Every structure is written in structure tokens, then in C-alpha cells.
Amino acid sequence: MKLSQWWQVIRRPLPAWWPQSATLDETPLASDRIIILDTETSGFSAQQDQLLSLAAVTYEAGALSMGEQWYATLNTSDAQGLGDSVLVHRLTASQLADGMDLNEGITTLAQFVGAAPVLAYHHGHDRSFIKAAMYRSGYPMLPWRWLEAADVFALAWPAAGLEQASLDDWLQWHEIVVEERHHALEDAWLTAMLWLKAVPALAAQGITTRVKLVKAMQSKRALIRQRAG
């Protein structure tokens, strides 16, 4: 995005649906509302590849609800140019052609999330694509409070020794049966199932609130950097 275009974005009035950032406070994790998010994309470059689908699952008051989930495929103008990524994510050209346009998808997702913290596995990938999508829709990045699921799970179960683990590693360690992977909604649910198990494991270590969780993750990352240095 050119500097002049970026200036137009940051000067644009924010819409009524624009969410607030989740506060880092003493909200108990056991009774909190947290959104578990996943995306599927056509590649790894947010500037060159496309956002294909978005999914969000709600954890609230210690439970997951099938009724509190959100999923959308996005209208992709060049479905034939997406290659094997469409097959990997089990998305057909017709599904993408009939999907929401980018602006509608981003808008409705932002309204669904609201001011809740957002948990995602290796969320840097999701953030970069959502950030690019926001810019293309004429908005700055959403002010979400992101939680890195990989750090949360390593903190919850230190005995597992899975410091550089993938989502599949954690699912296997917990012996969670996986029927399908690499679909945004299914991957969001699998991450949510691990989060559901992580909350009591964190509580056993005294990590019971939003602010305690973030501080514990920061301390753990600082310790890792110190050891590496």
C-alpha cells in the first residue's frame, strides 16, 4: 500500500461495528469469553496470496458451544489460479465464487468477535492475512488482543516438552482423534478443544486470569531468550 493510500485509511472514520481491544485485567479465564480463530489461505504471502476462509469458535464460561461459531468462505475472483491450496482445504471453485465478499467477511467476523481476546495457533500467519484484508477493505488493523495458542499450550503442559510443537503434535499428545484437518472451522474446533483442556491445567499453576496468562507467557518467552543468548 502506498503512503498516500495508508494515510487515507488511518484518517477514515471508524464504523459503528468497530470492536474494542480486550483489556488485560483480572477477568477469570474459567468464566471469560474467548474466540478461537483460524484461517485458510492460498499460500504464505499476505501480499501475493489470498484469504480463502475464516472461522471462529466461542469459548465462554468454561464451555464450547456449537451454536456460537462463525464460518465463511470468501469470494475469490481467480479460483483457477489457487492451485493445490483449494484441494488441501477442500474448497471448491463454486464455494469460493459463492462466498462472502472480503469486506462483508471481515465486517461480520469483527462483529462476532467483539471485544473478546482472540486465540490462534501460530497467529502471525492469520494476523498478516487479516491485516492485508483490512487494508484492502479500507480499514486499519483490528485492535484485537491476540493470544498465541502454541505458547499457551507449552505453558499449560510443560511436562510434554513440546516447545516447538505443531497443532498436530499437541493433538497427538492428548490422544485427540482427528478426522479432518486443514479446514478453517475444523482446525478452530481442534484448537478450542485443546484450550478447554488448558484452562484447568493453567489454573493448577495459579494462572487464572487474562493478565496472569499474558504475564506468564511473557516471562516464559523472556526466559527462553535468556537461555538462547
Side-chain angles (χ1 to χ4, degrees):
M1 177 179 287
K2 296 180 180 178
L3 182 60
S4 59
Q5 293 173 309
W6 168 240
W7 181 243
Q8 290 177 353
V9 168
I10 62 176
R11 291 191 61 186
R12 179 179 179 178
L14 296 177
W17 53 262
W18 195 258
Q20 297 293 317
S21 177
T23 56
L24 284 184
D25 56 19
E26 296 295 337
T27 301
L29 298 177
S31 60
D32 205 352
R33 178 178 183 267
I34 292 174
I35 300 299
I36 297 86
L37 182 140
D38 192 72
T39 65
E40 299 300 352
T41 64
S42 64
F44 298 101
S45 171
Q47 302 306 317
Q48 299 178 10
D49 298 309
Q50 300 192 51
L51 190 59
L52 303 178
S53 63
L54 298 154
V57 172
T58 303
Y59 164 91
E60 189 166 15
L64 305 174
S65 171
M66 291 291 291
E68 291 295 323
Q69 63 182 8
W70 184 93
Y71 173 75
T73 55
L74 299 178
N75 184 286
T76 306
S77 58
D78 185 20
Q80 294 183 347
L82 299 179
D84 293 339
S85 62
V86 175
L87 299 176
V88 170
H89 305 311
R90 305 191 311 284
L91 297 172
T92 66
S94 62
Q95 285 177 312
L96 295 171
D98 292 338
M100 291 184 182
D101 65 54
L102 185 62
N103 189 59
E104 180 186 9
I106 290 296
T107 299
T108 54
L109 176 61
Q111 291 174 319
F112 181 84
V113 173
V118 176
L119 176 79
Y121 207 95
H122 293 164
H123 73 257
H125 177 82
D126 304 301
R127 288 183 67 172
S128 63
F129 273 85
I130 290 175
K131 182 177 182 179
M134 294 303 298
Y135 288 171
R136 289 166 190 158
S137 296
Y139 298 110
M141 181 57 174
L142 291 164
W144 289 341
R145 176 78 64 179
W146 290 82
L147 301 173
E148 174 51 60
D151 290 347
V152 171
F153 300 157
L155 189 64
W157 302 294
L162 298 176
E163 294 293 339
Q164 302 295 325
S166 66
L167 180 60
D168 290 307
D169 290 331
W170 283 114
L171 293 169
Q172 184 176 3
W173 192 76
H174 282 280
E175 298 182 343
I176 295 176
V177 177
V178 179
E179 295 182 0
E180 299 286 353
R181 278 276 279 111
H182 304 297
H183 183 280
L185 187 55
E186 291 161 355
D187 287 358
W189 268 102
L190 290 169
T191 306
M193 290 169 63
L194 289 169
W195 166 255
L196 194 63
K197 291 176 176 288
V199 173
L202 292 167
Q205 303 175 50
I207 303 170
T208 56
T209 67
R210 289 182 182 180
V211 67
K212 288 179 180 178
L213 175 60
V214 171
K215 287 183 176 180
M217 288 193 294
Q218 290 172 343
S219 296
K220 184 175 178 61
R221 285 195 292 267
L223 181 61
I224 291 173
R225 288 194 298 268
Q226 183 179 3
R227 289 173 176 173

